[in-house]
């Protein structure tokens, strides 16, 4: 198997010239984009089995550094998005903390007028070193991925991971005052017996646990259908030990992709059901890859290249038109292809989750 990272779907040529739409961030289904996820690198210090397994070895082709958007380019794009109404930026990857000077990028993005939240999704390996500086730079929240509490299983799942480091990172993030959510991909036969323990671990450390359905990215190459646990089953597993879950008040305020639930003792848990219970009608996000491709949906390969506009000397109006083309092309919803014969072909490591 040969993976080129990131494989991009049909990247449309940027749109130059023509009238500017009234609100470039409203799509054909009246959804307003208010949230931009920015992947800052396609590289990672881990090799998770469902994302970029070690077995791929030297067949992984990373993008050359010059192909990645520079901090100046990212800042320009985010400034434009902020002017159009985006309020929340999530930095992701690959592993965002392996990009050199990531704190400097956080500082730039956090200083942009209109941006209210700058959050990051990380595997946690480098959090202990960076947490304080990132908070000082303006980071407002952290999602840390942790799929198991068993050190050997953790190593096996992540290829190169170190559970103790991630746990130290969770403690450091909380000590630095960051709100923390812990992301777990629920995998049958791997960690389904640990979901309750992971939830309790998160609560004990002042974090919110979130369980994610396994998704067939990479044209299904890294997907095992029998490992997927539906959100309904995740809920059943949790309820069997924790009692009935009710819809959390935060879910009513912020209808994001994670459905948030509360236990009878008031503990909150999120379940992200991209596979079995779509949240597309409330989708308010776009995704920018490290190479500047703007994707309107995780489940489709379509993209518009903002890098071509940036590097082709495009004006802010040209960029806005390219963004509007992406938003207009945002599909009503997604269906992931479980058979491995269809889309999306793109990789999670290129998209950042
Ligand atoms: N490296 C960082 C991390 O692991 O948190 C950020 C990037 S990673 C692609 C973002 C999230 O996507 C992680 O929580 C990871 O577990 C999740 N993820 C990766 N591949 C997935 C898949 N096939 N299905 C569901 N979630 C996946
Ligand atoms: Fe790296 Fe995150 Fe993918 Fe794991 S899930 S390989 S940590 S990008």
């Amino acid at each position: 198997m040969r993976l080129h990272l990131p494989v991009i779907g049909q990247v449309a040529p940027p749109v130059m010239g023509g009238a500017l739409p009234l609100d470039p961030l409203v799509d054909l289904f009246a959804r307003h984009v208010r949230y931009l996820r920015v992947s800052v690198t396609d590289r990672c210090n881990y090799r998770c089995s469902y994302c970029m397994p070690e077995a791929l070895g030297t067949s992984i082709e990373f993008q050359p550094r010059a192909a990645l958007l520079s901090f100046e380019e990212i800042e320009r794009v985010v400034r434009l998005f902020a002017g159009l109404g985006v309020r929340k930026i999530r930095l992701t990857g690959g592993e965002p903390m392996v990009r050199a000077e990531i704190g400097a990028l956080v500082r730039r993005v956090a200083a942009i007028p209109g941006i209210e939240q700058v959050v990051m999704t990380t595997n946690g390996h480098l959090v202990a070193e960076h947490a304080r500086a990132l908070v000082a730079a303006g980071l407002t929240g952290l999602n840390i991925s942790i799929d198991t509490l068993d050190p050997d299983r953790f190593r096996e799942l992540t290829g190169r991971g170190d559970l103790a480091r991630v746990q130290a990172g969770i403690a450091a993030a909380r000590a630095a005052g960051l709100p923390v959510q812990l992301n777990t991909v629920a995998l049958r036969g791997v960690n389904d017996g640990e979901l309750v323990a992971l939830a309790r671990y998160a609560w004990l450390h002042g974090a919110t646990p979130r369980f994610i359905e396994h998704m067939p990215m990479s044209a299904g190459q890294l997907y095992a259908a029998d490992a997927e646990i539906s959100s309904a089953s995740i809920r059943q597993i949790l309820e069997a030990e924790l009692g009935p879950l009710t819809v959390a008040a935060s879910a009513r305020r912020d209808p994001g992709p994670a459905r948030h639930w509360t236990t009878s003792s008031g503990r909150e848990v999120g379940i992200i059901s991209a596979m079995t219970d779509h949240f597309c009608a409330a989708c308010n996000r776009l995704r920018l890859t490290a190479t500047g491709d703007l994707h309107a949906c995780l489940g489709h390969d379509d993209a518009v290249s903002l890098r071509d506009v940036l590097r082709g000397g495009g004006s802010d109006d040209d960029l806005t038109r390219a963004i509007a083309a992406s938003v207009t092309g945002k599909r009503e919803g997604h269906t992931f292809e479980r058979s491995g014969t269809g889309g999306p072909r793109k990789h999670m490591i290129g998209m950042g989750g």
Side-chain angles (χ1 to χ4, degrees):
M1 176 172 24
R2 191 163 186 79
L3 275 194
H4 301 264
L5 294 172
V7 169
I8 296 149
Q10 294 74 40
V11 181
V15 181
M16 310 289 259
L20 284 176
L22 209 56
D23 188 339
L25 294 191
V26 177
D27 74 6
L28 297 179
F29 306 94
R31 294 172 298 196
H32 292 233
V33 172
R34 292 287 176 262
Y35 172 25
L36 178 67
R37 300 174 64 101
V38 180
S39 172
V40 298
T41 179
D42 60 349
R43 289 166 198 256
C44 187
N45 45 359
Y46 281 12
R47 291 289 180 271
C48 299
S49 59
Y50 47 73
C51 184
M52 189 174 59
E54 197 81 74
L56 293 173
T58 52
S59 68
I60 298 169
E61 290 181 10
F62 294 106
Q63 294 290 322
R65 221 160 275 284
L68 305 187
L69 294 190
S70 67
F71 285 180
E72 288 73 18
E73 288 171 327
I74 294 174
E75 183 183 346
R76 180 171 167 205
V77 169
V78 173
R79 193 176 292 282
L80 199 66
F81 268 107
L84 296 172
V86 161
R87 297 289 166 257
K88 176 176 174 184
I89 301 294
R90 177 171 301 281
L91 301 178
T92 176
E95 173 47 42
M97 292 202 186
V98 303
R99 175 120 186 210
E101 305 294 335
I102 185 67
L105 180 64
V106 169
R107 191 174 295 283
R108 279 171 181 258
V109 170
I112 293 171
I115 296 300
E116 294 163 2
Q117 293 178 67
V118 184
V119 295
M120 190 182 284
T121 300
T122 171
N123 61 30
H125 193 81
L126 297 171
V127 169
E129 290 90 312
H130 288 302
R132 279 186 185 285
L134 289 174
V135 171
L139 194 76
T140 58
L142 210 51
N143 284 6
I144 301 179
S145 301
I146 180 167
D147 292 335
T148 172
L149 296 170
D150 178 291
D152 295 331
R153 188 176 291 159
F154 189 86
R155 184 80 179 174
E156 201 180 318
L157 259 175
T158 58
R160 306 174 178 181
D162 180 345
L163 178 64
R165 278 189 75 117
V166 174
Q167 290 177 312
I170 293 166
R174 292 296 296 137
L178 283 171
V180 173
Q181 305 192 101
L182 298 188
N183 284 348
T184 298
V185 180
L187 297 165
R188 193 179 309 285
V190 178
N191 63 4
D192 46 341
E194 282 193 81
L195 303 188
V196 172
L198 281 156
R200 290 199 168 116
Y201 175 84
W203 294 326
L204 188 67
H205 292 85
T208 305
R210 300 177 353 134
F211 298 100
I212 306 171
E213 287 179 342
H214 179 33
M215 289 175 242
M217 307 297 288
S218 311
Q221 291 174 88
L222 309 175
Y223 173 72
D226 51 359
E228 184 192 318
I229 310 180
S230 69
S231 58
S233 300
I234 294 171
R235 196 177 147 195
Q236 268 173 13
I237 291 170
L238 297 174
E239 287 188 323
E241 277 197 52
L242 300 169
L245 298 174
T246 50
V247 177
S250 62
R252 288 187 280 267
R253 282 196 308 275
D254 180 16
R259 294 195 199 285
H260 277 255
W261 303 88
T262 326
T263 65
S264 55
S265 58
R267 306 287 199 183
E268 196 163 317
V269 55
I271 304 178
I272 300 171
S273 50
M275 299 296 293
T276 61
D277 187 9
H278 294 176
F279 37 79
C280 304
C283 182
N284 67 348
R285 64 206 53 211
L286 297 177
R287 291 174 164 83
L288 183 66
T289 69
T291 50
D293 295 311
L294 190 62
H295 290 253
C297 176
L298 184 60
H300 294 287
D301 286 326
D302 328 319
V304 170
S305 173
L306 298 190
R307 190 184 63 188
D308 286 356
V309 184
L310 288 161
R311 297 189 183 173
S315 65
D316 281 357
D317 281 357
D318 292 329
L319 272 174
T320 304
R321 274 186 280 270
I323 291 166
S326 175
V327 173
T328 305
K330 190 169 168 68
R331 317 240 193 145
E332 187 172 11
H334 66 244
T335 42
F336 282 99
E337 176 57 67
R338 287 187 173 89
S339 69
T341 55
R345 290 187 300 123
K346 62 195 182 191
H347 304 298
M348 195 64 104
I349 194 161
M351 298 309 304

